[in-house]
Amino acid sequence: MTGVAWAADAAAPSGMASLAQFVPLILIFVVFYFLLIRPQQKKAKEHQNYLANLKKGDKVITGGGIHGQIAGLTDKVVTLEIAENVRIKVSRSAIAGSAADAEKPAPAKSGG
């Protein structure tokens, strides 16, 4: 029992030492914010602006991979013409991006 009594006499960590324990956690959060959270928010904002600025005649790709040209728009629904006289309605949020961006050739890999 004397071992327990000796352990009870240990001094509590000072205020500065307890703050120093949180510094690595704070630094990890800052790194996550600048490397993960902030770029994701920026990308989401750009996508929302893209969806808000869609217009008739734009060529787009849906999240499911369907390529089409916008034939009609409402607030929540986009009518895509995927072939001549073949039209489908999809949710505006289902539009993944521009077909022009997807058709750009990929950069060539340099052999090593």
Side-chain angles (χ1 to χ4, degrees):
M1 273 311 214
T2 57
V4 174
W6 285 107
D9 287 338
S14 67
M16 194 62 150
S18 64
L19 179 65
Q21 292 175 345
F22 289 110
V23 170
L25 292 174
I26 294 168
L27 289 175
I28 289 171
F29 177 76
V30 168
V31 168
F32 269 89
Y33 176 77
F34 283 107
L35 293 179
L36 297 173
I37 298 170
R38 190 166 165 238
Q40 187 65 28
Q41 287 176 340
K42 184 178 177 184
K43 186 177 178 182
K45 186 176 179 180
E46 288 173 357
H47 187 68
Q48 287 298 324
N49 287 337
Y50 173 74
L51 292 179
N53 294 324
L54 287 175
K55 57 187 180 293
K56 193 173 180 178
D58 287 349
K59 292 185 178 183
V60 296
I61 301 174
T62 67
I66 299 173
H67 291 241
Q69 186 172 358
I70 296 177
L73 287 166
T74 65
D75 288 340
K76 298 199 183 240
V77 177
V78 176
T79 304
L80 292 180
E81 185 169 352
I82 56 175
E84 192 173 327
N85 294 325
V86 179
R87 294 184 175 162
I88 59 172
K89 290 184 179 183
V90 296
S91 174
R92 188 181 279 248
S93 62
I95 303 296
S98 172
D101 292 342
E103 292 174 357
K104 289 180 184 175
K109 280 189 172 180
S110 60

